[in-house]
Amino acid sequence: FASLVAGSMIASGFVIPMLVIGALMGRIYGVVLCGIFDYFGWDTQVIDPGVMAMLGGVGFFAGVSRLTTCLAVIMLEVTADLPHLLPIMCSVMVAKVAADFFVHPLYHALLQVKCIPFLDVTTGVRKLSCFRASDVMSVPVVTVHEHATVGSLIQKLKDTRHNCFPVLKMETEEFCGTISRHGIELILSQPHSVLAASDLNSKSN
């Protein structure tokens, strides 16, 4: 079911199907290997199809998802068998290296299917410490005072498209913080029972 609905909007898990498919492949390999050993008269006790199924499930899961250390730890907790830790790690690493050589991970492919942009590891802007605030600010700077009128706030929102405004003190013009456009809109949307005369005059103008 998960293989049929992969990439669609239907909720489906990939963990159990990947483990089952890998376990089936590993079990088949173990049974075939036991048959070959039995045909030549060799000792078949050194081959355990159950262990082959576990390693097949781990390897298939690692090849599809590219999980390494956490997958090995999860399988070790599921099986509670410490002697199988080294085979599990070898299966995970071989599967990851082989899968990386042929194709990218499943979840990377799902990003392409859903047309989600894949972000680069490095940013486009470097040496941010060499830039000043004036390099990204518009001139003249549009400021808001601590005790601004409703009309002045509405006018600033109409005249500019800035997303944030510096807040200055009324007397000293000292910088005391910033307020976002959304914050101003939220304040203006609140019902005010009392407005100053200056606010009413500004709104009527």
Side-chain angles (χ1 to χ4, degrees):
F1 176 76
S3 61
L4 294 177
V5 301
S8 66
M9 294 303 175
I10 302 176
S12 61
F14 293 101
V15 176
I16 300 302
M18 286 189 291
L19 290 176
V20 171
I21 293 172
L24 288 175
M25 297 172 62
R27 181 81 179 187
I28 293 173
Y29 177 76
V31 171
V32 171
L33 204 58
C34 284
I36 294 175
F37 272 52
D38 187 57
Y39 177 80
F40 287 102
W42 298 337
D43 187 11
T44 58
Q45 294 182 354
V46 297
I47 301 175
D48 188 353
V51 175
M52 293 295 181
M54 179 190 66
L55 296 179
V58 173
F60 192 86
F61 195 175
V64 174
S65 64
R66 303 300 198 275
L67 297 178
T68 53
T69 305
C70 63
L71 178 58
V73 173
I74 291 172
M75 294 307 299
L76 180 62
E77 292 179 353
V78 170
T79 58
D81 196 354
L82 186 60
H84 288 151
L85 177 59
L86 183 59
I88 290 175
M89 295 175 61
C90 293
S91 176
V92 167
M93 294 308 299
V94 171
K96 182 182 183 306
V97 172
D100 285 337
F101 182 77
F102 290 105
V103 68
H104 49 251
L106 170 66
Y107 299 103
H108 188 173
L110 291 178
L111 291 177
Q112 295 179 343
V113 170
K114 296 182 179 180
C115 300
I116 299 176
F118 191 78
L119 301 180
D120 296 331
V121 178
T122 58
T123 59
V125 180
R126 299 180 180 179
K127 297 182 179 180
L128 292 176
S129 58
C130 298
F131 292 90
R132 298 175 298 178
S134 59
D135 296 330
V136 295
M137 292 182 65
S138 60
V139 179
V141 179
V142 180
T143 61
V144 175
H145 290 93
E146 280 185 315
H147 304 285
T149 61
V150 174
S152 64
L153 293 177
I154 295 176
Q155 192 64 36
K156 290 181 188 297
L157 294 180
K158 289 182 178 180
D159 295 340
T160 63
R161 299 180 61 185
H162 302 331
N163 190 50
C164 191
F165 300 89
V167 181
L168 305 180
K169 292 185 177 181
M170 184 68 71
E171 299 81 7
T172 60
E173 296 292 326
E174 180 182 353
F175 175 77
C176 58
T178 60
I179 184 170
S180 63
R181 172 180 287 267
H182 177 71
I184 296 177
E185 293 175 349
L186 185 62
I187 293 173
L188 294 177
S189 64
Q190 300 299 321
H192 296 278
S193 58
V194 179
L195 290 176
S198 57
D199 295 342
L200 296 175
N201 293 333
S202 299
K203 292 180 67 175
S204 62
N205 294 334

